Amino acid sequence: MSLYYIRRVKFIDDQPRIVEDSYMPVALFPDLNISTLQKSKFDYVEHEKGMLIQGSRQEFTAVDSDEEIMALLGMEKSHPIMNLRSISNLEDGRYFDYTEAWFHPNAHKLAIYLSRKREHRKPVFP
């Protein structure tokens, strides 16, 4: 299987804040190009390719930053940074994107609301 390897550095207020490495199958996206990747990959998949995205499994962890990622994020000294690994699939079950991203420590906050409504509680196991 042939894959595109895509590295994007995303800026917030003119500062590099996210480094994103993605892998996408060439067979599903033979017309993928740089101008497409300057926008949302998911918007491209849904609106330009007409594919239905079912969802993404995402895993967040804190990791030690390496020199290359630190340089791309404009960091001078090593700090733990947030890492995201995500695998996305279409409604028909095909995987179409694997992404690993690193976030500048000053750029993001993760907030979650957990409902405790008893009538909606069901055990969920990974």
Side-chain angles (χ1 to χ4, degrees):
M1 171 189 293
S2 296
L3 297 172
Y4 291 109
Y5 165 71
I6 305 149
R7 172 163 275 177
R8 303 192 296 180
V9 178
K10 297 181 179 185
F11 288 75
I12 299 171
D13 296 328
D14 295 323
Q15 298 294 317
R17 292 301 184 235
I18 304 168
V19 175
E20 177 188 277
D21 288 349
S22 297
Y23 301 86
M24 299 175 74
V26 173
L28 287 178
F29 310 110
D31 61 339
L32 189 63
N33 59 54
I34 291 173
S35 66
T36 298
L37 295 170
Q38 292 174 332
K39 304 173 219 160
S40 166
K41 293 181 299 182
F42 280 33
D43 189 58
Y44 161 76
V45 171
E46 291 180 317
H47 297 108
E48 291 187 38
K49 300 304 288 182
M51 298 174 173
L52 298 174
I53 298 172
Q54 183 178 51
S56 300
R57 181 185 187 285
Q58 300 185 341
E59 178 181 289
F60 291 88
T61 56
V63 298
D64 290 329
S65 51
D66 68 34
E67 289 183 22
E68 184 177 1
I69 298 298
M70 285 176 22
L72 290 169
L73 290 174
M75 298 170 60
E76 293 183 16
K77 63 180 189 175
S78 183
H79 294 281
I81 58 176
M82 189 59 68
N83 174 258
L84 163 70
R85 290 182 182 181
S86 175
I87 187 162
S88 302
N89 62 289
L90 301 170
E91 285 283 332
D92 64 11
R94 290 180 293 173
Y95 294 106
F96 72 92
D97 178 71
Y98 172 79
T99 292
E100 187 165 8
W102 298 268
F103 298 83
H104 190 285
N106 297 333
H108 286 76
K109 170 175 78 173
L110 178 61
I112 300 171
Y113 175 79
L114 299 173
S115 175
R116 302 248 331 138
K117 285 188 173 185
R118 305 240 186 267
E119 65 270 12
H120 295 295
R121 271 202 217 164
K122 294 178 184 171
V124 177
F125 301 99

